[in-house]
């Protein structure tokens, strides 16, 4: 159980184009989904928190107009990188949460990630 | 500002021996800690967690130890198996604050057969 998928797994695009990445919880309904970005040999950096039916909450330094997040349902969140540039090339990972107990954080189940390369 | 640090980028251990992965944090407000395992080109998978009200949590071959006074936690894997070879991330969070996770930079474990 608790499987999260991402599509596509990798994408190469030209500078200036937009790319949409989908994150789906396959066998559970996720109240919250998170989007992370990972540079080589660095930690996962949280970009934004997404709740179904409401606007995403972006972390400091993340441009919300560039990284558009839509959380259409309890099983689907999308990240659109608008007008992508080479510096946006990275590994993007989403996670979906399952409610934890009163003395625990919600466990995050991660998708397999999407490798974006902008030429 | 890296609030969670894993100072060893890599670790090699012989099969059957103990693997010890270390993690330090700076924010004393963190009260929940997790370890994730990640294979190349895959997302992290949850391994084990510990609340700050405990100093040890064990699950099969995996044990996490927490030293709150030192702001240090460690993951012990015993006995280590070749399939354990992966990158291990520790993460810290605060209960009831929106589930934001702060990840370390990871330690790449290689278990030598």
């Amino acid at each position: 159980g608790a499987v999260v998928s991402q599509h596509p797994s990798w994408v190469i695009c030209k500078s200036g184009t937009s790319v949409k990445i989908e994150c789906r919880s396959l066998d559970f309904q996720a109240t919250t989904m998170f989007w992370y970005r990972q540079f080589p040999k660095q930690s996962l950096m949280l970009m934004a928190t997404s709740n179904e039916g409401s606007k995403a909450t972006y972390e400091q330094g993340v441009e919300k107009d560039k990284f558009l997040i839509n959380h259409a349902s309890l099983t689907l969140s999308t990240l659109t990188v608008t007008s992508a540039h080479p510096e946006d090339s990275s590994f993007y990972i989403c996670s979906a949460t399952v409610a934890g107990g009163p003395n625990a954080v919600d466990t995050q189940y991660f998708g397999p990630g999407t490798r974006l390369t902008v030429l | 500002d890296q609030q969670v640090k894993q100072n060893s980028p890599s670790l090699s251990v012989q099969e059957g021996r103990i693997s010890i992965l270390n993690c330090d944090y700076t924010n004393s407000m963190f009260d929940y800690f997790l370890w994730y395992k990640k294979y190349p080109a895959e997302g992290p998978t949850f391994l084990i967690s510990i609340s700050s009200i405990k100093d040890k949590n064990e699950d099969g071959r995996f044990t996490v130890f927490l030293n709150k006074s030192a702001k240090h936690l460690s993951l012990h894997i015993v006995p280590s198996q070749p399939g354990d070879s992966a990158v291990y991330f520790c993460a810290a969070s605060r209960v009831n604050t929106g589930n934001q996770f702060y990840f370390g930079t990871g330690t790449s474990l290689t278990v030598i057969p």
Side-chain angles (χ1 to χ4, degrees), chain B residues 30-96:
Chain B
F30 289 142
D31 54 11
Y32 204 83
F33 306 89
L34 310 93
W35 284 94
Y36 280 82
K37 177 180 179 180
K38 184 180 182 299
Y39 293 113
E42 294 185 13
T45 55
F46 171 72
L47 202 56
I48 193 170
S49 63
I50 188 168
S51 164
S52 61
I53 62 175
K54 295 184 177 181
D55 54 20
K56 176 183 175 181
N57 188 26
E58 188 173 353
D59 183 2
R61 296 185 297 113
F62 303 91
T63 303
V64 56
F65 294 92
L66 176 62
N67 183 333
K68 291 185 289 293
S69 60
K71 296 192 184 68
H72 177 85
L73 65 154
S74 60
L75 174 68
H76 292 210
I77 307 173
V78 56
S80 301
Q81 299 174 355
D84 296 330
S85 297
V87 177
Y88 290 79
F89 290 92
C90 67
S93 185
R94 293 176 59 189
V95 176
N96 299 324

Side-chain angles (χ1 to χ4, degrees), chain A residues 43 59 105-106 108 110-112, chain B residues 32 36 42-44 89 99-100 104:
Chain A
S43 61
E59 295 301 302
V105 299
D106 298 346
Q108 293 188 28
F110 286 82
Chain B
Y32 204 83
Y36 280 82
E42 294 185 13
F89 290 92
N99 293 298
Q100 182 176 2

Side-chain angles (χ1 to χ4, degrees), chain A residues 75-86:
Chain A
T75 60
L76 173 63
S77 176
T78 60
L79 169 68
T80 301
V81 183
T82 62
S83 186
H85 288 94

